[in-house]
Amino acid sequence: MTTKGAKNVAPRDTAIRYITMLSMIPVEPKHIGTTEILGLLEGQGYFVNQRTIQRDLNLLSTQFPLDSQPGIRNEMRWFFRKGSPAHWPAMSADTAL
């Protein structure tokens, strides 16, 4: 897991964080905001900032059927597109590995 202020993050930590984030994202019409994801990640020991989550999700959306829409105060709300074949069921990173 990463720590606050860590500049050198192991690729394995980043990959596990990606898996963890993907498992948090619901299928539309449900959605989750970056602030909620930040809180859930912190609860699991990942200490990143909201901008990192936004960059991660933008990157992941190029490889997975993720989409977003602006919510309150233009915070992006993320979801898997309805009917997409790649839906990540909720599981812990340890289970996934």
Side-chain angles (χ1 to χ4, degrees):
M1 312 263 171
T2 59
T3 58
K4 285 188 179 188
K7 299 215 187 243
N8 296 322
V9 177
R12 180 181 183 274
D13 289 343
T14 300
I16 293 171
R17 187 177 76 244
Y18 288 171
I19 292 168
T20 302
M21 286 179 20
L22 287 169
S23 71
M24 296 173 181
I25 300 172
V27 175
E28 71 178 321
K30 295 180 181 179
H31 45 75
I32 187 168
T34 52
T35 301
E36 293 168 85
I37 293 171
L38 177 64
L40 291 169
L41 286 174
E42 286 178 351
Q44 294 187 31
Y46 294 96
F47 299 102
V48 294
N49 59 43
Q50 192 166 358
R51 183 65 187 122
T52 297
I53 293 169
Q54 292 166 342
R55 280 191 297 266
D56 290 349
L57 290 170
N58 284 328
L59 175 67
L60 290 168
S61 71
T62 66
Q63 302 298 316
F64 295 94
L66 293 174
D67 210 344
S68 63
Q69 62 187 25
I72 297 171
R73 293 184 298 269
N74 288 325
E75 176 189 19
M76 297 310 290
R77 311 288 301 172
W78 290 87
F79 52 90
F80 277 99
R81 287 181 221 120
K82 188 182 285 185
S84 62
H87 171 236
W88 287 72
M91 69 174 78
S92 70
D94 291 333
T95 302
L97 295 175

